[in-house]
Amino acid sequence: MVKQERARRTREKVLDAAAEEFAVQGYSRATLNAVAARTGMTKGALYGHFASKEVLACALLAQSHEVWEEMLLTRNAPGVTARTALETLVLDLARRLKADVRLRAAMRLATDCPSLTRGLPDVSKDVRRDLVGLVRRAQQEGGMPPRPPELVAQLLLTAMHGALHVSFGPAGCTDAAAWESVWQLLLDALAGDPRSLSDGQAAEGSAHT
C-alpha cells in the first residue's frame, strides 16, 4: 500500500512537471529530459511511469476532458438560464486556465498538436463546441443578441488565451477582482447589456479624475 501511494505521488509529480513543460514549450519543443529535470528524477526512472512524451501528453488531455465535463455539468444545470450558465462557466474557465497548469497545457496541446487527440477527447474542440451551444441557447432564450455563436465563442477563447499573458494592476500585480470585472464587462457587452456601456464610461471617467 505504501509503495502504491509513493508511485501515485510520483506519477502526479511527473504530470505536473510535464504540464509545466508543455505549457511553456509546446509539444514539439518539450523533452523528457526537461521533464525529468523538473522532477529531479532520472530519465530512466521517468520511463517507469510514462513510456514516452506522447503518453504523458495523452494523459494530460484525458484528464483535462474530465475536468471540463465536471465544470460543464455543475454549471449547466436544470433551471439555470443559458446566459447565467455561460457567464459562470467562462469566469471559472478563465480562473482555472490561470491557476491550473495541467488544463492550460492540455489546451495548448490540443491546439498545437491535433494529431495527439486522435482517438482521445479534444478538450479544445469540446470547450468551443459547448460554448457555441450555450451562446445559441442564450440567444434562443432572449438573453443574448443574434450574433454568430461561433464568433462569440471564438472571441471568448481568444480573450482567455490573451489573459494568460497579460498582467493586471500596478507593477504587474494580478488582481482577481479586477479581472472578474473585466470579464463581466466583456460578457455584458456580448449580451447587449446596457450596463456594460455605462459601467465602462464610469470607469473611464473615474480614471481621469
Side-chain angles (χ1 to χ4, degrees):
M1 186 66 70
V2 173
K3 186 176 180 180
Q4 290 177 344
E5 178 59 22
R6 188 183 302 120
R8 186 195 67 78
R9 288 199 302 266
T10 301
R11 186 178 187 277
E12 295 300 309
K13 183 179 179 181
V14 172
L15 283 171
D16 284 337
E20 294 279 0
E21 190 68 14
F22 287 135
V24 174
Q25 301 294 344
Y27 184 77
S28 61
R29 294 178 60 191
T31 67
L32 287 180
N33 282 332
V35 174
R38 284 179 181 272
T39 62
M41 300 167 61
T42 65
K43 191 174 178 180
L46 190 150
Y47 275 129
H49 296 272
F50 295 94
S52 68
K53 181 172 75 170
E54 182 178 355
V55 172
L56 259 174
C58 289
L60 289 168
L61 287 167
Q63 188 177 78
S64 68
H65 174 74
E66 294 176 3
V67 169
W68 174 247
E69 287 295 305
E70 181 181 351
M71 290 170 60
L72 188 66
L73 182 65
T74 56
R75 281 155 184 84
N76 193 13
V80 177
T81 67
R83 178 180 169 181
T84 298
L86 177 67
E87 289 184 352
T88 57
L89 191 62
V90 165
L91 287 169
D92 190 22
L93 181 58
R95 292 189 204 104
R96 292 217 188 189
L97 284 174
K98 279 277 191 183
D100 187 343
V101 69
R102 293 192 189 184
L103 182 59
R104 192 160 67 247
M107 290 289 283
R108 177 165 185 179
L109 286 168
T111 302
D112 290 356
C113 197
S115 61
L116 284 172
T117 62
R118 291 172 186 165
L120 284 172
D122 184 332
V123 66
S124 180
K125 287 183 179 179
D126 288 348
V127 170
R128 182 176 287 102
R129 178 201 65 215
D130 293 330
L131 290 181
V132 168
L134 280 172
V135 171
R136 186 172 286 118
R137 275 183 47 208
Q139 291 173 345
Q140 292 169 349
E141 293 172 3
M144 296 184 76
R147 300 185 178 98
E150 294 79 6
L151 294 183
V152 175
Q154 185 59 49
L155 175 59
L156 291 170
L157 289 173
T158 300
M160 284 181 205
H161 285 295
L164 295 175
H165 308 288
V166 175
S167 295
F168 194 96
C173 295
T174 57
D175 184 336
W179 267 121
E180 290 205 11
S181 296
V182 171
W183 274 109
Q184 195 61 58
L185 184 66
L186 174 60
L187 288 163
D188 286 347
L190 289 173
D193 193 327
R195 291 176 303 172
S196 63
L197 179 59
S198 60
D199 290 347
Q201 290 173 332
E204 183 179 358
S206 64
H208 292 291
T209 57

